[in-house]
Amino acid sequence: MTADEQKRAAGEAAAALIAPGMTVGLGTGSTAAWFVKALAARAVPDIRAVATSEATAELAASLGIPLLDLDSAGVIDLTVDGADECGPRLALIKGGGAALLREKLVWEASARCVVIADAAKTPAPTLGRFPLPIEVVAFGHASTARRIDAVLAEAGIAAKAMLRLKDGRPVRTDGGNLIYDAPCGVIPDPAALGDALKRLTGVVEHGLFLNLAERALIGTDDGVKTYQP
Ligand code: 5RP
């Protein structure tokens, strides 16, 4: 199977978890897009959805999935989303699609969160191979980046955060912020690093999703495998 076929299988397995009447969180990225398509194809009655990005909202609307905003949603029953990397106890790195802030807001408003991915993202014993996305406000962003580097050094990580560019221009998130990516290699203590980054003025959010996923559905050549923390 190709990676895309594995993503599709994981998305379809997650769509089977959605029951009538549920409020569903819709993730962002190519794997989450498969979930959104599978959800629309199942035509589960009376569902409502909250999207984690403008791109996902556009896709869901085009497929006839009723959307509401996070403030009107109350508790979301189940959010399904992709990830860039899965580590021990389903610690995740997210934000490769620059949607980490809205994703984390929706995940934290959800009773349950399921991560879906292809086999390359099978949970591994360490976290940090994928460069850690960090969302920062545009004002003074280079200064914020220097303080991010100092936090990384204090955490024993010899990495420099790099401004994310696309076509030579800084990537802007849906909220108008910038993204820095930190190629950590291995993050010895993800919770401590996440806390330290959150303490920096100018950092809006980071892509460490810890203690949030209740399971991972990983598409493989041998079917969709389930992992729990
Ligand atoms: C977006 C994300 C995505 O979930 C992550 O980048 C995975 O994307 P894909 O399913 O395309 O591999 O965190 O901010």
Side-chain angles (χ1 to χ4, degrees):
M1 284 170 95
T2 64
D4 207 43
E5 288 167 339
Q6 294 173 345
K7 291 177 185 188
R8 180 179 187 162
E12 289 174 350
L17 301 174
I18 307 303
M22 274 188 172
T23 302
V24 185
L26 307 177
T28 294
S30 57
T31 321
W34 280 120
F35 166 71
V36 174
K37 288 175 201 163
L39 183 62
R42 280 171 56 86
V44 184
D46 300 327
I47 61 161
R48 307 174 315 157
V50 180
T52 54
S53 63
E54 300 295 334
T56 295
E58 203 174 301
L59 175 65
S62 75
L63 296 170
I65 296 175
L67 290 169
L68 70 171
D69 63 43
L70 181 55
D71 289 333
S72 323
V75 175
I76 297 167
D77 294 299
L78 177 61
T79 285
V80 177
D81 200 351
D84 298 298
E85 185 181 338
C86 298
R89 295 175 298 285
L90 296 190
L92 308 174
I93 289 181
K94 286 183 51 54
L100 62 128
L101 175 60
R102 291 192 187 183
E103 289 171 338
K104 201 174 278 189
L105 285 165
V106 170
W107 280 55
E108 290 186 352
S110 302
R112 300 165 57 205
C113 300
V114 169
V115 63
I116 52 175
D118 59 281
K121 296 169 183 171
T122 298
T126 61
L127 194 68
R129 293 176 312 286
F130 190 90
L132 177 65
I134 302 163
E135 183 163 346
V136 305
V137 295
F139 182 83
H141 65 90
S143 165
T144 303
R146 286 193 287 276
R147 285 179 291 118
I148 289 173
D149 290 346
V151 162
L152 294 170
E154 276 167 34
I157 298 165
K160 280 205 172 309
M162 307 283 291
L163 180 63
R164 190 183 297 180
L165 303 174
K166 190 174 177 199
D167 302 328
R169 301 171 69 89
V171 168
R172 292 274 179 172
T173 67
D174 283 344
N177 298 312
L178 302 173
I179 299 280
Y180 275 79
D181 293 301
C184 297
V186 174
I187 301 173
D189 186 342
L193 177 61
D195 288 347
L197 289 171
K198 287 285 282 204
R199 282 196 293 272
L200 290 179
T201 303
V203 168
V204 180
E205 193 48 79
H206 56 76
L208 291 164
F209 281 52
L210 310 176
N211 305 313
L212 288 171
E214 71 149 40
R215 78 178 92 163
L217 300 177
I218 305 290
T220 78
D221 289 351
D222 302 318
V224 176
K225 295 190 177 167
T226 301
Y227 294 81
Q228 284 172 317

